Amino acid sequence: PIFDPSQSKTYKTLPCSSNMCQSVISTPSCSSDKIGCKYTIKYGDGSHSQGDLSVETLTLGSTNGSSVQFPNTVIGCGHNNKGTFQGEGSGVVGLGGGPVSLISQLSSSIGGKFSYCLAPMFSQSNSSSKLNFGDAAVVSGLGAVSTPLVSKTGSEVFYYLTLEAFSVGDKRIEFVGGSSSSGSSNGEGNIIIDSGTTLTLLPQEDYSNLESAVADAIQANRVSDPSNFLSLCYQTTPSGQLDVPVITAHFKGADVELNPISTFVQVAEGVVCFAFQSSEVVSIFGNLAQLNLLVGYDLMEQTVSFKPTDCTQE
């Protein structure tokens, strides 16, 4: 359900004159009475939220069975929300590095640690994905690998990793990284990891190299995407299967094997497409590629860790 502030005793809108309003919104827009602070936030996939900047007591469940309260957490109480989550969610949780994201606000309580495990969208179990904070978010043990987070001045909102190559089966394809992918000259921090972008976006040259290696490895009837959106698509068997190669993303210090369910996505009855796309604007490791991986961020140690996990069981 959409949050109803009138039912809450702990909800308060922030005044236009407040420091928080001034720091979050570069040009604060005020309500018609010049008192309340209004916000507008837009995301790369076209979704957006507009409403009142407010504070509320946030209550999260905890591993010891009781709940933990965080009073005066800044939230956006959205009145105009539009996005890919239409009808399916109550809003957007900001996990980035910006001053008012949930992670930044909880930072001291959670030691800069959070993790998520994204369950396959079309799995039979219909299970929820999990989001953990603090000590419950440590990713370790058999199969866990870690790669450094690269910080960039002026882009604190995003989490940058260094991608060195992809492998398709045993064929390695070096990641060149387009000049516009905002990577530094030495290739450090050449891709953003994002839990909110669906597809994995790569510079044109890298995408073409990867696509042709994947196409070479698949013996199936190639078809076009009915939506004309994705470029490498195949007809599946009557049971919905397609024999796809193992694709591994080689991050600095961490080889991450991607699940077949996360490299191809069903776009129509009997048609699956490669869930990667070329982009001349930015390189992003998207959320389909992260399905069935436990992904942990440690902002104190400046690392991201991956561990193969059945996220329906988490």
Side-chain angles (χ1 to χ4, degrees):
I2 296 296
F3 175 65
D4 179 2
S6 69
Q7 301 297 307
S8 168
K9 294 187 174 70
T10 46
Y11 174 88
K12 288 196 299 288
T13 53
L14 282 168
C16 226
S17 56
S18 66
N19 288 343
M20 189 52 79
C21 182
Q22 307 288 329
S23 71
V24 172
I25 299 150
S26 47
T27 50
S29 66
C30 303
S31 52
S32 50
D33 57 13
K34 295 282 186 281
I35 298 170
C37 180
K38 299 286 182 191
Y39 75 90
T40 299
I41 188 161
K42 294 188 173 81
Y43 291 88
D45 65 356
S47 53
H48 68 255
S49 173
Q50 292 175 296
D52 298 311
L53 201 66
S54 315
V55 291
E56 177 59 288
T57 297
L58 175 71
T59 305
L60 297 175
S62 115
T63 44
N64 68 8
S66 59
S67 56
V68 185
Q69 294 198 322
F70 298 94
N72 297 316
T73 303
V74 178
I75 63 164
C77 184
H79 305 303
N80 174 5
N81 306 301
K82 181 176 187 311
T84 47
F85 48 84
Q86 219 155 358
E88 306 247 320
S90 313
V92 181
V93 178
L95 299 176
V100 78
S101 81
L102 184 60
I103 298 304
S104 300
Q105 291 191 72
L106 297 183
S107 189
S108 56
S109 313
I110 63 175
K113 294 184 187 70
F114 67 98
S115 72
Y116 50 76
C117 202
L118 302 177
M121 290 181 292
F122 309 113
S123 70
Q124 305 309 304
S125 67
N126 211 7
S127 58
S128 298
S129 300
K130 297 290 190 299
L131 178 59
N132 283 309
F133 302 100
D135 292 341
V138 175
V139 176
S140 60
L142 193 65
V145 291
S146 295
T147 187
L149 268 171
V150 179
S151 49
K152 297 197 179 186
T153 312
S155 297
E156 289 81 5
V157 170
F158 301 112
Y159 298 117
Y160 290 93
L161 305 180
T162 303
L163 179 66
E164 295 175 343
F166 282 106
S167 290
V168 178
D170 55 7
K171 182 179 182 187
R172 186 179 167 102
I173 300 123
E174 296 302 322
F175 184 67
V176 182
S179 55
S180 61
S181 68
S182 65
S184 57
S185 54
N186 62 359
E188 297 279 304
N190 56 13
I191 193 164
I192 291 167
I193 179 170
D194 188 18
S195 60
T197 301
T198 309
L199 301 172
T200 290
L201 307 178
L202 304 173
Q204 178 66 56
E205 182 185 351
D206 292 295
Y207 175 77
S208 299
N209 293 343
L210 181 62
E211 187 197 83
S212 55
V214 172
D216 287 348
I218 295 178
Q219 310 300 314
N221 188 22
R222 194 163 167 178
V223 293
S224 57
D225 177 1
S227 314
N228 278 332
F229 189 59
L230 296 169
S231 62
L232 182 64
C233 303
Y234 293 95
Q235 202 169 1
T236 58
T237 62
S239 62
Q241 296 301 303
L242 177 71
D243 196 11
V244 303
V246 172
I247 299 174
T248 304
H250 300 283
F251 293 103
K252 185 176 184 176
D255 295 340
V256 180
E257 195 173 295
L258 309 182
N259 293 287
I261 52 155
S262 57
T263 53
F264 278 81
V265 61
Q266 184 175 349
V267 295
E269 189 69 43
V271 179
V272 296
C273 296
F274 189 43
F276 287 58
Q277 204 176 36
S278 70
S279 161
E280 288 315 310
V281 183
V282 67
S283 299
I284 296 179
F285 189 62
N287 62 29
L288 282 179
Q290 299 174 57
L291 296 180
N292 274 350
L293 289 170
L294 179 59
V295 184
Y297 296 67
D298 187 330
L299 305 183
M300 298 298 177
E301 293 291 326
Q302 285 286 293
T303 58
V304 174
S305 302
F306 301 91
K307 184 179 182 180
T309 305
D310 179 353
C311 295
T312 62
Q313 302 298 316
E314 271 297 286

